[in-house]
Amino acid sequence: MAEKSWLTDVPQLDRETLLSIRQTLDEAYRGFSRAYGETIESWFDPILAFLVWFEKLLLATPWWLVILILAGISHFAARSWRLTIGVVISFILIGYFGMWENTMQTLSIITVCTLLAIALGIPTGIAMARSDRVQTIVTPILDVMQTMPAFVYLIPVVMLLGIGKIPGLIAVVIYAIPPVIRLTNLGIRLVDKEVLEAADAYGVTPTQRLFNIQLPLAMPNIMAGVNQTIMMALAMVVIASMIGVKGLGQPVLKSITNQYFTLGLFNGLAIVALAIVFDRVSQAYAKRSQQHIGSRQ
């Protein structure tokens, strides 16, 4: 006689009760989406307008001027001719292989997502660093955001807002924002206590201490968080293409469904090129800022 499995001893809801709970929650969320979906979507109209304008600007600007601007930004941030030349060569190859339009669309949404993540993430990280209670509340939320499978983000967003740029942007920001929050909090908390005590002895205000001492000293950690946020946003591009976000992710998705190896490889390499450019430039800028702070001290 077969032994009774220990799993049968685990208390479980019966199938009908579990199905009833799922249906109730699904209907409640559908009702919420029907009642408030349009109102919530209207909140994002300014961001959508800026995203569409920025995308059109990149597509309308001559390719050589875009490359020149990107090279200038890279050289200003890194002060490295080798990196600047690498940026120029990367974007010339992207254009040469016919991926310029998709790359500009990806660049636009990654830029907007990164700016939005920084605008929301750094103040949240500051609040966590200044209050243990806020850190206790926010940390579990960040844990859920970082461990939840990326595809799960798409379900409530699509149910609420449908298909388009804004749902994709929201999903990318939710997926990519935790590193900048965590590292901003960590960087401020790691500031030397003796430096803060000396500042207090000179009678600086909390605002002056934050902006003149804590944030500058925490800048390497904050820039590392921005770097990781950009990397995670780029990783989300292919998944976001499933809900209508145009760019390099859509050809990759098409290559998966139709088994086009070369199409997927080239567009995947373009995403890698963008990731390397963003990574090297942000790291070089963080290193320069740290050296500048060290020289001031």
Side-chain angles (χ1 to χ4, degrees), residues 69-105:
I69 293 171
L70 292 173
I73 294 172
S74 301
H75 189 69
F76 173 78
R79 293 292 195 275
S80 170
W81 283 108
R82 183 181 299 176
L83 180 58
T84 304
I85 293 171
V87 170
V88 172
I89 293 174
S90 297
F91 279 94
I92 288 176
L93 289 174
I94 284 171
Y96 182 76
F97 285 101
M99 297 177 291
W100 183 263
E101 182 176 344
N102 287 333
T103 301
M104 291 301 101
Q105 290 171 334

PDB file of all heavy atoms in Angstrom, residues 69-105:
ATOM      1  N   ILE A  69      26.012  65.183 -30.517  1.00  0.00           N
ATOM      2  CA  ILE A  69      25.525  65.564 -29.181  1.00  0.00           C
ATOM      3  C   ILE A  69      25.841  64.469 -28.163  1.00  0.00           C
ATOM      4  O   ILE A  69      26.316  64.747 -27.052  1.00  0.00           O
ATOM      5  CB  ILE A  69      24.014  65.849 -29.222  1.00  0.00           C
ATOM      6  CG1 ILE A  69      23.734  67.109 -30.050  1.00  0.00           C
ATOM      7  CG2 ILE A  69      23.454  66.011 -27.812  1.00  0.00           C
ATOM      8  CD1 ILE A  69      22.258  67.346 -30.322  1.00  0.00           C
ATOM      9  N   LEU A  70      25.583  63.204 -28.539  1.00  0.00           N
ATOM     10  CA  LEU A  70      25.868  62.096 -27.621  1.00  0.00           C
ATOM     11  C   LEU A  70      27.361  61.992 -27.318  1.00  0.00           C
ATOM     12  O   LEU A  70      27.756  61.724 -26.173  1.00  0.00           O
ATOM     13  CB  LEU A  70      25.363  60.786 -28.221  1.00  0.00           C
ATOM     14  CG  LEU A  70      23.839  60.642 -28.334  1.00  0.00           C
ATOM     15  CD1 LEU A  70      23.479  59.376 -29.106  1.00  0.00           C
ATOM     16  CD2 LEU A  70      23.190  60.626 -26.952  1.00  0.00           C
ATOM     17  N   ALA A  71      28.189  62.225 -28.335  1.00  0.00           N
ATOM     18  CA  ALA A  71      29.637  62.205 -28.120  1.00  0.00           C
ATOM     19  C   ALA A  71      30.060  63.337 -27.191  1.00  0.00           C
ATOM     20  O   ALA A  71      30.925  63.158 -26.322  1.00  0.00           O
ATOM     21  CB  ALA A  71      30.368  62.309 -29.461  1.00  0.00           C
ATOM     22  N   GLY A  72      29.433  64.514 -27.366  1.00  0.00           N
ATOM     23  CA  GLY A  72      29.755  65.645 -26.499  1.00  0.00           C
ATOM     24  C   GLY A  72      29.370  65.377 -25.054  1.00  0.00           C
ATOM     25  O   GLY A  72      30.131  65.680 -24.124  1.00  0.00           O
ATOM     26  N   ILE A  73      28.186  64.794 -24.848  1.00  0.00           N
ATOM     27  CA  ILE A  73      27.752  64.450 -23.486  1.00  0.00           C
ATOM     28  C   ILE A  73      28.690  63.422 -22.867  1.00  0.00           C
ATOM     29  O   ILE A  73      29.086  63.535 -21.694  1.00  0.00           O
ATOM     30  CB  ILE A  73      26.307  63.921 -23.501  1.00  0.00           C
ATOM     31  CG1 ILE A  73      25.339  65.033 -23.923  1.00  0.00           C
ATOM     32  CG2 ILE A  73      25.921  63.363 -22.136  1.00  0.00           C
ATOM     33  CD1 ILE A  73      23.916  64.556 -24.146  1.00  0.00           C
ATOM     34  N   SER A  74      29.082  62.426 -23.666  1.00  0.00           N
ATOM     35  CA  SER A  74      29.988  61.387 -23.166  1.00  0.00           C
ATOM     36  C   SER A  74      31.338  61.974 -22.769  1.00  0.00           C
ATOM     37  O   SER A  74      31.884  61.644 -21.711  1.00  0.00           O
ATOM     38  CB  SER A  74      30.181  60.300 -24.230  1.00  0.00           C
ATOM     39  OG  SER A  74      28.953  59.708 -24.575  1.00  0.00           O
ATOM     40  N   HIS A  75      31.864  62.863 -23.614  1.00  0.00           N
ATOM     41  CA  HIS A  75      33.176  63.440 -23.308  1.00  0.00           C
ATOM     42  C   HIS A  75      33.102  64.376 -22.102  1.00  0.00           C
ATOM     43  O   HIS A  75      34.025  64.412 -21.276  1.00  0.00           O
ATOM     44  CB  HIS A  75      33.709  64.200 -24.527  1.00  0.00           C
ATOM     45  CG  HIS A  75      35.133  64.648 -24.368  1.00  0.00           C
ATOM     46  ND1 HIS A  75      36.186  63.765 -24.349  1.00  0.00           N
ATOM     47  CD2 HIS A  75      35.672  65.889 -24.183  1.00  0.00           C
ATOM     48  CE1 HIS A  75      37.317  64.425 -24.169  1.00  0.00           C
ATOM     49  NE2 HIS A  75      37.023  65.711 -24.065  1.00  0.00           N
ATOM     50  N   PHE A  76      32.009  65.120 -21.981  1.00  0.00           N
ATOM     51  CA  PHE A  76      31.830  66.005 -20.824  1.00  0.00           C
ATOM     52  C   PHE A  76      31.758  65.197 -19.537  1.00  0.00           C
ATOM     53  O   PHE A  76      32.320  65.593 -18.502  1.00  0.00           O
ATOM     54  CB  PHE A  76      30.561  66.835 -20.991  1.00  0.00           C
ATOM     55  CG  PHE A  76      30.203  67.641 -19.772  1.00  0.00           C
ATOM     56  CD1 PHE A  76      30.860  68.823 -19.484  1.00  0.00           C
ATOM     57  CD2 PHE A  76      29.209  67.195 -18.906  1.00  0.00           C
ATOM     58  CE1 PHE A  76      30.540  69.552 -18.340  1.00  0.00           C
ATOM     59  CE2 PHE A  76      28.877  67.922 -17.776  1.00  0.00           C
ATOM     60  CZ  PHE A  76      29.553  69.106 -17.488  1.00  0.00           C
ATOM     61  N   ALA A  77      31.067  64.057 -19.576  1.00  0.00           N
ATOM     62  CA  ALA A  77      30.887  63.246 -18.375  1.00  0.00           C
ATOM     63  C   ALA A  77      32.136  62.456 -18.016  1.00  0.00           C
ATOM     64  O   ALA A  77      32.476  62.325 -16.839  1.00  0.00           O
ATOM     65  CB  ALA A  77      29.708  62.293 -18.563  1.00  0.00           C
ATOM     66  N   ALA A  78      32.833  61.932 -19.026  1.00  0.00           N
ATOM     67  CA  ALA A  78      33.934  61.002 -18.766  1.00  0.00           C
ATOM     68  C   ALA A  78      35.317  61.590 -18.982  1.00  0.00           C
ATOM     69  O   ALA A  78      36.292  61.068 -18.436  1.00  0.00           O
ATOM     70  CB  ALA A  78      33.770  59.760 -19.651  1.00  0.00           C
ATOM     71  N   ARG A  79      35.415  62.633 -19.806  1.00  0.00           N
ATOM     72  CA  ARG A  79      36.706  63.230 -20.167  1.00  0.00           C
ATOM     73  C   ARG A  79      37.655  62.164 -20.735  1.00  0.00           C
ATOM     74  O   ARG A  79      38.845  62.130 -20.411  1.00  0.00           O
ATOM     75  CB  ARG A  79      37.363  63.893 -18.944  1.00  0.00           C
ATOM     76  CG  ARG A  79      36.632  65.103 -18.409  1.00  0.00           C
ATOM     77  CD  ARG A  79      36.688  66.282 -19.378  1.00  0.00           C
ATOM     78  NE  ARG A  79      36.301  67.526 -18.734  1.00  0.00           N
ATOM     79  CZ  ARG A  79      35.054  67.968 -18.590  1.00  0.00           C
ATOM     80  NH1 ARG A  79      34.071  67.213 -19.059  1.00  0.00           N
ATOM     81  NH2 ARG A  79      34.780  69.107 -18.013  1.00  0.00           N
ATOM     82  N   SER A  80      37.094  61.299 -21.567  1.00  0.00           N
ATOM     83  CA  SER A  80      37.888  60.219 -22.157  1.00  0.00           C
ATOM     84  C   SER A  80      37.640  60.185 -23.657  1.00  0.00           C
ATOM     85  O   SER A  80      36.513  59.946 -24.100  1.00  0.00           O
ATOM     86  CB  SER A  80      37.507  58.870 -21.529  1.00  0.00           C
ATOM     87  OG  SER A  80      38.083  57.796 -22.238  1.00  0.00           O
ATOM     88  N   TRP A  81      38.698  60.428 -24.428  1.00  0.00           N
ATOM     89  CA  TRP A  81      38.563  60.381 -25.880  1.00  0.00           C
ATOM     90  C   TRP A  81      38.292  58.963 -26.363  1.00  0.00           C
ATOM     91  O   TRP A  81      37.586  58.759 -27.352  1.00  0.00           O
ATOM     92  CB  TRP A  81      39.825  60.931 -26.546  1.00  0.00           C
ATOM     93  CG  TRP A  81      39.900  62.428 -26.511  1.00  0.00           C
ATOM     94  CD1 TRP A  81      40.729  63.205 -25.765  1.00  0.00           C
ATOM     95  CD2 TRP A  81      39.079  63.336 -27.267  1.00  0.00           C
ATOM     96  NE1 TRP A  81      40.482  64.544 -25.992  1.00  0.00           N
ATOM     97  CE2 TRP A  81      39.478  64.644 -26.917  1.00  0.00           C
ATOM     98  CE3 TRP A  81      38.057  63.168 -28.190  1.00  0.00           C
ATOM     99  CZ2 TRP A  81      38.893  65.776 -27.466  1.00  0.00           C
ATOM    100  CZ3 TRP A  81      37.465  64.295 -28.743  1.00  0.00           C
ATOM    101  CH2 TRP A  81      37.873  65.577 -28.385  1.00  0.00           C
ATOM    102  N   ARG A  82      38.857  57.981 -25.685  1.00  0.00           N
ATOM    103  CA  ARG A  82      38.625  56.585 -26.074  1.00  0.00           C
ATOM    104  C   ARG A  82      37.144  56.230 -25.966  1.00  0.00           C
ATOM    105  O   ARG A  82      36.570  55.624 -26.880  1.00  0.00           O
ATOM    106  CB  ARG A  82      39.463  55.662 -25.192  1.00  0.00           C
ATOM    107  CG  ARG A  82      39.346  54.181 -25.557  1.00  0.00           C
ATOM    108  CD  ARG A  82      40.181  53.334 -24.628  1.00  0.00           C
ATOM    109  NE  ARG A  82      41.606  53.690 -24.722  1.00  0.00           N
ATOM    110  CZ  ARG A  82      42.549  53.152 -23.960  1.00  0.00           C
ATOM    111  NH1 ARG A  82      42.222  52.243 -23.049  1.00  0.00           N
ATOM    112  NH2 ARG A  82      43.804  53.513 -24.101  1.00  0.00           N
ATOM    113  N   LEU A  83      36.525  56.627 -24.855  1.00  0.00           N
ATOM    114  CA  LEU A  83      35.107  56.357 -24.676  1.00  0.00           C
ATOM    115  C   LEU A  83      34.272  57.139 -25.677  1.00  0.00           C
ATOM    116  O   LEU A  83      33.296  56.613 -26.230  1.00  0.00           O
ATOM    117  CB  LEU A  83      34.690  56.714 -23.253  1.00  0.00           C
ATOM    118  CG  LEU A  83      33.211  56.494 -22.886  1.00  0.00           C
ATOM    119  CD1 LEU A  83      32.814  55.037 -23.086  1.00  0.00           C
ATOM    120  CD2 LEU A  83      32.943  56.917 -21.445  1.00  0.00           C
ATOM    121  N   THR A  84      34.640  58.382 -25.924  1.00  0.00           N
ATOM    122  CA  THR A  84      33.897  59.213 -26.878  1.00  0.00           C
ATOM    123  C   THR A  84      33.930  58.601 -28.270  1.00  0.00           C
ATOM    124  O   THR A  84      32.905  58.533 -28.967  1.00  0.00           O
ATOM    125  CB  THR A  84      34.477  60.634 -26.907  1.00  0.00           C
ATOM    126  OG1 THR A  84      34.452  61.184 -25.584  1.00  0.00           O
ATOM    127  CG2 THR A  84      33.678  61.528 -27.847  1.00  0.00           C
ATOM    128  N   ILE A  85      35.100  58.147 -28.689  1.00  0.00           N
ATOM    129  CA  ILE A  85      35.228  57.504 -30.006  1.00  0.00           C
ATOM    130  C   ILE A  85      34.415  56.216 -30.045  1.00  0.00           C
ATOM    131  O   ILE A  85      33.770  55.891 -31.056  1.00  0.00           O
ATOM    132  CB  ILE A  85      36.715  57.232 -30.328  1.00  0.00           C
ATOM    133  CG1 ILE A  85      37.463  58.561 -30.518  1.00  0.00           C
ATOM    134  CG2 ILE A  85      36.852  56.373 -31.581  1.00  0.00           C
ATOM    135  CD1 ILE A  85      38.967  58.405 -30.612  1.00  0.00           C
ATOM    136  N   GLY A  86      34.399  55.469 -28.936  1.00  0.00           N
ATOM    137  CA  GLY A  86      33.604  54.253 -28.874  1.00  0.00           C
ATOM    138  C   GLY A  86      32.118  54.531 -29.024  1.00  0.00           C
ATOM    139  O   GLY A  86      31.396  53.779 -29.694  1.00  0.00           O
ATOM    140  N   VAL A  87      31.645  55.618 -28.418  1.00  0.00           N
ATOM    141  CA  VAL A  87      30.236  56.009 -28.551  1.00  0.00           C
ATOM    142  C   VAL A  87      29.921  56.334 -30.010  1.00  0.00           C
ATOM    143  O   VAL A  87      28.899  55.894 -30.559  1.00  0.00           O
ATOM    144  CB  VAL A  87      29.931  57.222 -27.644  1.00  0.00           C
ATOM    145  CG1 VAL A  87      28.547  57.793 -27.952  1.00  0.00           C
ATOM    146  CG2 VAL A  87      30.007  56.813 -26.180  1.00  0.00           C
ATOM    147  N   VAL A  88      30.791  57.082 -30.659  1.00  0.00           N
ATOM    148  CA  VAL A  88      30.573  57.462 -32.058  1.00  0.00           C
ATOM    149  C   VAL A  88      30.513  56.226 -32.945  1.00  0.00           C
ATOM    150  O   VAL A  88      29.602  56.067 -33.777  1.00  0.00           O
ATOM    151  CB  VAL A  88      31.687  58.421 -32.535  1.00  0.00           C
ATOM    152  CG1 VAL A  88      31.584  58.658 -34.040  1.00  0.00           C
ATOM    153  CG2 VAL A  88      31.605  59.748 -31.786  1.00  0.00           C
ATOM    154  N   ILE A  89      31.465  55.329 -32.777  1.00  0.00           N
ATOM    155  CA  ILE A  89      31.512  54.114 -33.606  1.00  0.00           C
ATOM    156  C   ILE A  89      30.268  53.249 -33.360  1.00  0.00           C
ATOM    157  O   ILE A  89      29.669  52.711 -34.312  1.00  0.00           O
ATOM    158  CB  ILE A  89      32.794  53.311 -33.309  1.00  0.00           C
ATOM    159  CG1 ILE A  89      34.029  54.093 -33.788  1.00  0.00           C
ATOM    160  CG2 ILE A  89      32.742  51.943 -33.987  1.00  0.00           C
ATOM    161  CD1 ILE A  89      35.340  53.442 -33.399  1.00  0.00           C
ATOM    162  N   SER A  90      29.849  53.124 -32.113  1.00  0.00           N
ATOM    163  CA  SER A  90      28.684  52.298 -31.786  1.00  0.00           C
ATOM    164  C   SER A  90      27.434  52.799 -32.497  1.00  0.00           C
ATOM    165  O   SER A  90      26.690  52.015 -33.116  1.00  0.00           O
ATOM    166  CB  SER A  90      28.452  52.289 -30.270  1.00  0.00           C
ATOM    167  OG  SER A  90      29.543  51.708 -29.593  1.00  0.00           O
ATOM    168  N   PHE A  91      27.186  54.109 -32.458  1.00  0.00           N
ATOM    169  CA  PHE A  91      25.972  54.646 -33.064  1.00  0.00           C
ATOM    170  C   PHE A  91      26.063  54.673 -34.586  1.00  0.00           C
ATOM    171  O   PHE A  91      25.036  54.541 -35.269  1.00  0.00           O
ATOM    172  CB  PHE A  91      25.673  56.040 -32.502  1.00  0.00           C
ATOM    173  CG  PHE A  91      24.999  55.998 -31.160  1.00  0.00           C
ATOM    174  CD1 PHE A  91      25.749  56.074 -29.987  1.00  0.00           C
ATOM    175  CD2 PHE A  91      23.626  55.846 -31.055  1.00  0.00           C
ATOM    176  CE1 PHE A  91      25.132  56.018 -28.751  1.00  0.00           C
ATOM    177  CE2 PHE A  91      23.002  55.788 -29.822  1.00  0.00           C
ATOM    178  CZ  PHE A  91      23.759  55.870 -28.665  1.00  0.00           C
ATOM    179  N   ILE A  92      27.258  54.821 -35.126  1.00  0.00           N
ATOM    180  CA  ILE A  92      27.401  54.724 -36.584  1.00  0.00           C
ATOM    181  C   ILE A  92      27.061  53.311 -37.057  1.00  0.00           C
ATOM    182  O   ILE A  92      26.360  53.120 -38.059  1.00  0.00           O
ATOM    183  CB  ILE A  92      28.830  55.124 -37.010  1.00  0.00           C
ATOM    184  CG1 ILE A  92      29.022  56.636 -36.862  1.00  0.00           C
ATOM    185  CG2 ILE A  92      29.094  54.708 -38.457  1.00  0.00           C
ATOM    186  CD1 ILE A  92      30.427  57.101 -37.163  1.00  0.00           C
ATOM    187  N   LEU A  93      27.534  52.297 -36.327  1.00  0.00           N
ATOM    188  CA  LEU A  93      27.219  50.911 -36.685  1.00  0.00           C
ATOM    189  C   LEU A  93      25.732  50.619 -36.529  1.00  0.00           C
ATOM    190  O   LEU A  93      25.145  49.894 -37.352  1.00  0.00           O
ATOM    191  CB  LEU A  93      28.043  49.953 -35.818  1.00  0.00           C
ATOM    192  CG  LEU A  93      29.545  49.892 -36.103  1.00  0.00           C
ATOM    193  CD1 LEU A  93      30.247  49.013 -35.076  1.00  0.00           C
ATOM    194  CD2 LEU A  93      29.800  49.381 -37.509  1.00  0.00           C
ATOM    195  N   ILE A  94      25.108  51.173 -35.495  1.00  0.00           N
ATOM    196  CA  ILE A  94      23.664  50.995 -35.307  1.00  0.00           C
ATOM    197  C   ILE A  94      22.902  51.546 -36.511  1.00  0.00           C
ATOM    198  O   ILE A  94      21.978  50.907 -37.036  1.00  0.00           O
ATOM    199  CB  ILE A  94      23.204  51.676 -33.999  1.00  0.00           C
ATOM    200  CG1 ILE A  94      23.623  50.829 -32.795  1.00  0.00           C
ATOM    201  CG2 ILE A  94      21.687  51.882 -33.983  1.00  0.00           C
ATOM    202  CD1 ILE A  94      23.406  51.498 -31.458  1.00  0.00           C
ATOM    203  N   GLY A  95      23.287  52.730 -36.971  1.00  0.00           N
ATOM    204  CA  GLY A  95      22.646  53.307 -38.150  1.00  0.00           C
ATOM    205  C   GLY A  95      22.955  52.535 -39.412  1.00  0.00           C
ATOM    206  O   GLY A  95      22.077  52.338 -40.269  1.00  0.00           O
ATOM    207  N   TYR A  96      24.188  52.058 -39.537  1.00  0.00           N
ATOM    208  CA  TYR A  96      24.609  51.338 -40.741  1.00  0.00           C
ATOM    209  C   TYR A  96      23.815  50.047 -40.917  1.00  0.00           C
ATOM    210  O   TYR A  96      23.487  49.655 -42.056  1.00  0.00           O
ATOM    211  CB  TYR A  96      26.104  51.024 -40.639  1.00  0.00           C
ATOM    212  CG  TYR A  96      26.668  50.321 -41.853  1.00  0.00           C
ATOM    213  CD1 TYR A  96      26.922  51.018 -43.028  1.00  0.00           C
ATOM    214  CD2 TYR A  96      26.940  48.956 -41.816  1.00  0.00           C
ATOM    215  CE1 TYR A  96      27.440  50.373 -44.143  1.00  0.00           C
ATOM    216  CE2 TYR A  96      27.453  48.308 -42.919  1.00  0.00           C
ATOM    217  CZ  TYR A  96      27.704  49.020 -44.085  1.00  0.00           C
ATOM    218  OH  TYR A  96      28.208  48.367 -45.190  1.00  0.00           O
ATOM    219  N   PHE A  97      23.460  49.388 -39.822  1.00  0.00           N
ATOM    220  CA  PHE A  97      22.706  48.131 -39.896  1.00  0.00           C
ATOM    221  C   PHE A  97      21.197  48.347 -39.833  1.00  0.00           C
ATOM    222  O   PHE A  97      20.439  47.395 -39.630  1.00  0.00           O
ATOM    223  CB  PHE A  97      23.145  47.179 -38.784  1.00  0.00           C
ATOM    224  CG  PHE A  97      24.478  46.535 -39.035  1.00  0.00           C
ATOM    225  CD1 PHE A  97      25.616  47.008 -38.406  1.00  0.00           C
ATOM    226  CD2 PHE A  97      24.591  45.471 -39.915  1.00  0.00           C
ATOM    227  CE1 PHE A  97      26.858  46.420 -38.645  1.00  0.00           C
ATOM    228  CE2 PHE A  97      25.826  44.877 -40.157  1.00  0.00           C
ATOM    229  CZ  PHE A  97      26.966  45.356 -39.522  1.00  0.00           C
ATOM    230  N   GLY A  98      20.753  49.571 -40.018  1.00  0.00           N
ATOM    231  CA  GLY A  98      19.327  49.852 -40.168  1.00  0.00           C
ATOM    232  C   GLY A  98      18.511  49.836 -38.897  1.00  0.00           C
ATOM    233  O   GLY A  98      17.297  49.588 -38.950  1.00  0.00           O
ATOM    234  N   MET A  99      19.131  50.126 -37.768  1.00  0.00           N
ATOM    235  CA  MET A  99      18.408  50.079 -36.490  1.00  0.00           C
ATOM    236  C   MET A  99      18.303  51.459 -35.846  1.00  0.00           C
ATOM    237  O   MET A  99      18.018  51.566 -34.650  1.00  0.00           O
ATOM    238  CB  MET A  99      19.118  49.108 -35.532  1.00  0.00           C
ATOM    239  CG  MET A  99      19.144  47.677 -36.031  1.00  0.00           C
ATOM    240  SD  MET A  99      20.066  46.552 -34.940  1.00  0.00           S
ATOM    241  CE  MET A  99      21.745  47.137 -35.163  1.00  0.00           C
ATOM    242  N   TRP A 100      18.529  52.509 -36.634  1.00  0.00           N
ATOM    243  CA  TRP A 100      18.578  53.857 -36.071  1.00  0.00           C
ATOM    244  C   TRP A 100      17.235  54.281 -35.462  1.00  0.00           C
ATOM    245  O   TRP A 100      17.180  54.778 -34.338  1.00  0.00           O
ATOM    246  CB  TRP A 100      19.010  54.847 -37.144  1.00  0.00           C
ATOM    247  CG  TRP A 100      19.162  56.250 -36.615  1.00  0.00           C
ATOM    248  CD1 TRP A 100      18.261  57.269 -36.677  1.00  0.00           C
ATOM    249  CD2 TRP A 100      20.284  56.749 -35.893  1.00  0.00           C
ATOM    250  NE1 TRP A 100      18.757  58.391 -36.060  1.00  0.00           N
ATOM    251  CE2 TRP A 100      20.004  58.101 -35.566  1.00  0.00           C
ATOM    252  CE3 TRP A 100      21.514  56.203 -35.501  1.00  0.00           C
ATOM    253  CZ2 TRP A 100      20.894  58.901 -34.871  1.00  0.00           C
ATOM    254  CZ3 TRP A 100      22.405  56.999 -34.799  1.00  0.00           C
ATOM    255  CH2 TRP A 100      22.081  58.336 -34.496  1.00  0.00           C
ATOM    256  N   GLU A 101      16.145  54.085 -36.200  1.00  0.00           N
ATOM    257  CA  GLU A 101      14.834  54.533 -35.717  1.00  0.00           C
ATOM    258  C   GLU A 101      14.443  53.806 -34.441  1.00  0.00           C
ATOM    259  O   GLU A 101      14.005  54.442 -33.461  1.00  0.00           O
ATOM    260  CB  GLU A 101      13.778  54.302 -36.798  1.00  0.00           C
ATOM    261  CG  GLU A 101      12.390  54.794 -36.399  1.00  0.00           C
ATOM    262  CD  GLU A 101      11.367  54.651 -37.510  1.00  0.00           C
ATOM    263  OE1 GLU A 101      11.782  54.465 -38.683  1.00  0.00           O
ATOM    264  OE2 GLU A 101      10.159  54.729 -37.212  1.00  0.00           O
ATOM    265  N   ASN A 102      14.601  52.487 -34.412  1.00  0.00           N
ATOM    266  CA  ASN A 102      14.264  51.727 -33.204  1.00  0.00           C
ATOM    267  C   ASN A 102      15.145  52.130 -32.025  1.00  0.00           C
ATOM    268  O   ASN A 102      14.689  52.190 -30.886  1.00  0.00           O
ATOM    269  CB  ASN A 102      14.412  50.229 -33.466  1.00  0.00           C
ATOM    270  CG  ASN A 102      13.309  49.681 -34.352  1.00  0.00           C
ATOM    271  OD1 ASN A 102      12.209  50.214 -34.379  1.00  0.00           O
ATOM    272  ND2 ASN A 102      13.606  48.628 -35.089  1.00  0.00           N
ATOM    273  N   THR A 103      16.420  52.416 -32.315  1.00  0.00           N
ATOM    274  CA  THR A 103      17.337  52.819 -31.244  1.00  0.00           C
ATOM    275  C   THR A 103      16.938  54.170 -30.668  1.00  0.00           C
ATOM    276  O   THR A 103      16.992  54.370 -29.441  1.00  0.00           O
ATOM    277  CB  THR A 103      18.782  52.876 -31.774  1.00  0.00           C
ATOM    278  OG1 THR A 103      19.153  51.589 -32.271  1.00  0.00           O
ATOM    279  CG2 THR A 103      19.750  53.275 -30.667  1.00  0.00           C
ATOM    280  N   MET A 104      16.534  55.111 -31.511  1.00  0.00           N
ATOM    281  CA  MET A 104      16.114  56.421 -31.019  1.00  0.00           C
ATOM    282  C   MET A 104      14.830  56.300 -30.181  1.00  0.00           C
ATOM    283  O   MET A 104      14.667  56.995 -29.171  1.00  0.00           O
ATOM    284  CB  MET A 104      15.878  57.375 -32.180  1.00  0.00           C
ATOM    285  CG  MET A 104      17.150  57.778 -32.927  1.00  0.00           C
ATOM    286  SD  MET A 104      18.391  58.592 -31.888  1.00  0.00           S
ATOM    287  CE  MET A 104      19.556  57.244 -31.584  1.00  0.00           C
ATOM    288  N   GLN A 105      13.926  55.406 -30.584  1.00  0.00           N
ATOM    289  CA  GLN A 105      12.705  55.194 -29.790  1.00  0.00           C
ATOM    290  C   GLN A 105      13.053  54.597 -28.431  1.00  0.00           C
ATOM    291  O   GLN A 105      12.492  55.002 -27.404  1.00  0.00           O
ATOM    292  CB  GLN A 105      11.746  54.280 -30.562  1.00  0.00           C
ATOM    293  CG  GLN A 105      11.137  54.944 -31.787  1.00  0.00           C
ATOM    294  CD  GLN A 105      10.363  53.969 -32.654  1.00  0.00           C
ATOM    295  OE1 GLN A 105      10.623  52.767 -32.660  1.00  0.00           O
ATOM    296  NE2 GLN A 105       9.404  54.475 -33.405  1.00  0.00           N
TER     297      GLN A 105
END
